Amino acid sequence: MGMMENRIDGKAGDVKEFLSFQLGEEEYGIDILAVREIRAYEKPTRIANTPAFIRGVINLRGVIVPIVDLRIKFGMAAPQYNSLTVVIILKVFNRVVGIVVDSVSDVVALKPGDMRPAPEFNSRIQSTFIRGLATVQERMLILMDIEALMASDDMALVEPVAEAA
């Protein structure tokens, strides 16, 4: 019985897991496969001549990780840094980057049928960074395309990490 429940929409592997997090009033989801770890916010070391949304860098076990505040990137109200503020460490395109969010909620498993294309609406976030929408127990989740976000021009300064041999 256990395996069959996942097979509603084709193969069991079709279920994708997303880490959900809060940014302001909205709840977002990113592919859990991109997530390396979740850390408490620590003040990064500021780097001159970087966009405001790049808060600086932290040294994470020898890897220099740029810290991107998505609230600033998406033009939200002045971010508050408090005990709930977290940094999600992501690895995308062999780049390690931390994104600052208001709080992390949970991991949500979604089948393809749970996801809807995002309508064209006047969002703070360019639609190119939105994969779709999903409703999870009365909650609306905006599924973020983290690859598209990291590939955007203003993120170009996030350098690929040389893998230790």
Side-chain angles (χ1 to χ4, degrees), residues 67-116:
I67 302 299
V68 173
D69 194 318
L70 289 184
R71 301 168 299 187
I72 297 171
K73 171 129 179 79
F74 297 143
M76 297 178 178
Q80 303 294 312
Y81 296 97
N82 58 36
S83 59
L84 292 177
T85 307
V86 288
V87 176
I88 303 171
I89 304 292
L90 303 171
K91 187 164 186 188
V92 183
F93 302 133
N94 250 358
R95 293 176 164 142
V96 178
V97 64
I99 58 171
V100 182
V101 301
D102 289 329
S103 62
V104 167
S105 309
D106 53 10
V107 175
V108 179
L110 298 174
K111 297 184 295 295
D114 297 334
M115 296 178 239
R116 300 271 173 271

Side-chain angles (χ1 to χ4, degrees), residues 53-72:
F53 65 84
I54 307 258
R55 302 302 296 158
V57 294
I58 60 169
N59 183 335
L60 185 62
R61 295 182 294 278
V63 176
I64 300 302
V65 180
I67 302 299
V68 173
D69 194 318
L70 289 184
R71 301 168 299 187
I72 297 171

Side-chain angles (χ1 to χ4, degrees), residues 15 18 21 24 26 36 38 42 48 51 66-67 73-74 76 80 99 108 120 132-133 139-140 147-148 150:
V15 174
F18 291 84
F21 59 87
E26 275 95 35
R36 289 291 160 262
I38 298 167
E42 57 183 271
I67 302 299
K73 171 129 179 79
F74 297 143
M76 297 178 178
Q80 303 294 312
I99 58 171
V108 179
E120 287 299 315
L133 302 173
R139 293 156 44 199
M140 178 64 76
E147 286 91 356
M150 290 305 147

Side-chain angles (χ1 to χ4, degrees), residues 137-155:
Q137 299 143 4
E138 310 301 308
R139 293 156 44 199
M140 178 64 76
L141 210 56
I142 301 168
L143 303 177
M144 193 176 282
D145 185 339
I146 206 70
E147 286 91 356
L149 180 65
M150 290 305 147
S152 63
D153 290 345
D154 55 1
M155 292 287 190

